[in-house]
Amino acid sequence: MLNGKHIILGITGSIAAYKAAMLCRLLVKEGAEVRVVMTPLAKQFITPLTMATLSKHPILVEFFNPENGEWNSHVSLGEWADMLLIAPATANTLAKMVTGVADNLLLTTYLSARSKVAVAPAMDLDMYAHVTTQQNLQTLAERGVAIIEPQAGELASGLVGKGRMAEPEDIVEQVKAIFAEQEKKKSLEGKRYIVTAGATIEAIDPVRYITNHSTGKMGYAIAEELAMRGAEVSLISGRTTLPTPKGVKRIDVLSAEDMYNAAVKEWEDADGGVMCAAVADYTPVAVADRKLKKSDDDMRIELKRTKDIAKELGANKVNRILVGFALETDNEEANAEGKLQRKNFDFVVLNSLQDAGAGFRGDTNKVTLIDRNGSEEHPLMSKSEVADVIVDKIERIENA
């Protein structure tokens, strides 16, 4: 996994710097090319000679070599790296990363890095638990920095608590996982998918309409996951308050007819689709152009069937992947299997309103994936985790 990867190992002034020697050795053993950048204070805890011997490269500490004026370019380092790994990362360095302080070579390299950045904090338990440190870690995580959680145990102060830098073996495994996730994100590059999401709105008059409780969260999570893996995604969305996922083309629609027209058009050039929207099955035959006034009599609204988007796409599927959803309240698997056959889906994502935490509005879901070979049931998960499971199955079909 790490063979040929370029990793900058940043070492800061912490007693845990002694672990950086083993960490460097393990990274090199895994095939990575490691360049070490140390802060001036880090030299008080581990010698540059040790790190140079293990990394097989000169150690960089200052902006230039005072002997000959040779410049250590933080810009070139940032361009070279596939990852900047700061281990150990002190509270001081984390704070400077948040605020953009650039008073040493490691921090200027961080500000120049185009690659993934990971930090392995190391400090005493009170420093780690302090609200400032926790806010700094949260800010870095929100900016995309991977936080390799410290461990609990005996600390250099003699106290016992959380703050020990993760063990080198554990850090290497997390570095591998980060690279694996990056590779996964490119796995659908060159593919084009459409996703329908949210509820449709069927007008009765200028004021009233027929709709359902769908928020679009599940469909948006799937669109985001597909885009993260490199696919070009067209998200055909009913009304929602959700922000558009990064890298996704969003097409806003209102009615089932609008969604049908948009989906059929986008399907022409698509490699696959996920039909996650809660589309109205019926729409009023006639829409009043003025508000219908209340009276003492009952009101009857004549409804007609809407066009079946999934069935239309399934009839023109050819060699493309099509995924459907089935939200059921009874005879769940039988109804889902019926959809699978009628609409020519590759698989159906079944969820039930009988399951606590599943269904509309919430941030979790409990699903069963059903295809022609059987079913696979999954526990209650966040909708982003469910999206990951669904896209994993799409990829398996792509690669079959």
Side-chain angles (χ1 to χ4, degrees):
M1 178 62 69
L2 300 185
N3 191 43
K5 298 295 186 185
H6 294 172
I7 297 176
I8 296 174
L9 176 58
I11 306 174
T12 66
S14 163
I15 187 63
Y18 78 91
K19 293 183 179 180
M22 178 57 71
L23 176 57
C24 180
R25 184 174 181 276
L26 291 173
L27 291 170
V28 172
K29 188 176 180 181
E30 290 284 344
E33 184 176 349
V34 180
R35 301 289 179 92
V36 178
V37 179
M38 301 174 68
T39 63
L41 188 57
K43 295 191 298 180
Q44 305 300 315
F45 295 93
I46 190 167
T47 68
L49 177 60
T50 298
M51 298 310 302
T53 302
L54 294 170
S55 68
K56 300 179 175 60
H57 289 288
I59 303 310
L60 304 177
V61 180
E62 305 295 344
F63 289 104
F64 64 93
N65 186 334
E67 297 295 325
N68 58 20
E70 182 182 4
W71 178 251
N72 295 323
S73 173
H74 55 88
V75 175
S76 298
L77 284 168
E79 292 177 340
W80 174 83
D82 294 311
M83 176 181 288
L84 169 59
L85 170 63
I86 302 177
T90 60
N92 181 56
T93 293
L94 294 171
K96 289 179 177 180
M97 290 170 69
V98 169
T99 56
V101 173
D103 61 358
N104 61 46
L105 182 61
L106 177 57
L107 289 164
T108 55
T109 301
Y110 161 67
L111 293 173
S112 300
R114 300 180 182 179
S115 63
K116 184 68 176 179
V117 177
V119 296
M123 62 199 76
D124 207 63
L125 76 164
D126 294 315
M127 294 178 70
Y128 179 74
H130 196 280
V131 62
T132 303
T133 302
Q134 290 302 308
Q135 287 176 348
N136 287 338
L137 286 168
Q138 182 178 343
T139 298
L140 290 172
E142 289 170 353
R143 294 176 185 174
V145 174
I147 311 298
I148 300 174
E149 289 284 325
Q151 299 173 344
E154 185 176 352
L155 304 169
S157 63
L159 299 174
V160 176
K162 190 171 183 179
R164 286 171 56 96
M165 187 178 89
E167 293 303 316
E169 295 84 358
D170 296 331
I171 294 175
V172 170
E173 289 306 309
Q174 293 199 48
V175 167
K176 288 180 180 179
I178 292 168
F179 278 118
E181 186 66 21
Q182 288 179 324
E183 291 300 318
K184 184 172 75 171
K185 289 177 182 178
K186 300 175 184 176
S187 55
L188 290 175
E189 200 164 18
K191 299 293 183 179
R192 186 171 182 273
Y193 273 80
I194 69 170
V195 179
T196 62
T200 59
I201 288 175
E202 309 304 316
I204 296 171
D205 62 20
V207 178
R208 304 174 181 88
Y209 55 81
I210 301 169
T211 190
N212 57 65
H213 296 294
S214 176
T215 60
K217 288 181 179 180
M218 191 68 256
Y220 273 58
I222 293 168
E224 182 174 35
E225 183 64 29
L226 286 165
M228 285 176 62
R229 301 196 193 189
E232 181 184 340
V233 182
S234 294
L235 174 60
I236 304 169
S237 175
R239 184 179 291 175
T240 178
T241 59
L242 298 174
T244 305
K246 184 179 179 181
V248 169
K249 181 180 80 170
R250 175 170 159 178
I251 303 167
D252 288 311
V253 297
L254 281 179
S255 68
E257 180 74 16
D258 295 338
M259 187 169 281
Y260 174 89
N261 292 333
V264 169
K265 180 180 178 182
E266 294 296 317
W267 185 242
E268 292 176 1
D269 301 318
D271 295 295
V274 182
M275 303 292 100
C276 191
V279 184
D281 293 323
Y282 295 90
T283 189
V285 171
V287 179
D289 58 3
R290 292 175 180 272
K291 179 183 176 182
L292 297 174
K293 300 300 289 181
K294 181 172 64 175
S295 71
D296 293 333
D297 297 327
D298 293 336
M299 178 184 289
R300 288 178 174 79
I301 300 171
E302 187 179 357
L303 303 176
K304 63 180 179 180
R305 281 286 284 123
T306 56
K307 295 177 182 177
D308 192 324
I309 300 170
K311 190 173 182 179
E312 175 67 22
L313 302 193
N316 297 283
K317 188 160 78 82
V318 194
N319 294 318
R320 295 178 286 187
I321 296 172
L322 188 61
V323 181
F325 269 70
L327 177 63
E328 303 293 343
T329 57
D330 52 14
N331 298 322
E332 288 98 339
E333 290 212 16
N335 287 331
E337 289 170 0
K339 273 193 172 183
L340 179 76
Q341 301 297 333
R342 290 195 313 274
K343 303 190 181 185
N344 199 20
F345 290 136
D346 288 274
F347 66 93
V348 170
V349 182
L350 168 65
N351 56 348
S352 170
L353 287 177
Q354 308 299 329
D355 293 324
F360 295 128
R361 297 185 183 276
D363 295 319
T364 57
N365 209 350
K366 184 175 184 294
V367 302
T368 301
L369 307 187
I370 299 174
D371 61 22
R372 287 166 180 78
N373 296 316
S375 63
E376 53 184 83
E377 187 174 347
H378 294 271
L380 186 70
M381 297 185 286
S382 70
K383 287 186 174 177
S384 61
E385 291 174 317
V386 173
D388 192 57
V389 167
I390 292 168
V391 178
D392 278 347
K393 188 170 180 68
I394 288 172
E395 284 207 44
R396 291 197 297 271
I397 296 171
E398 286 268 14
N399 298 326

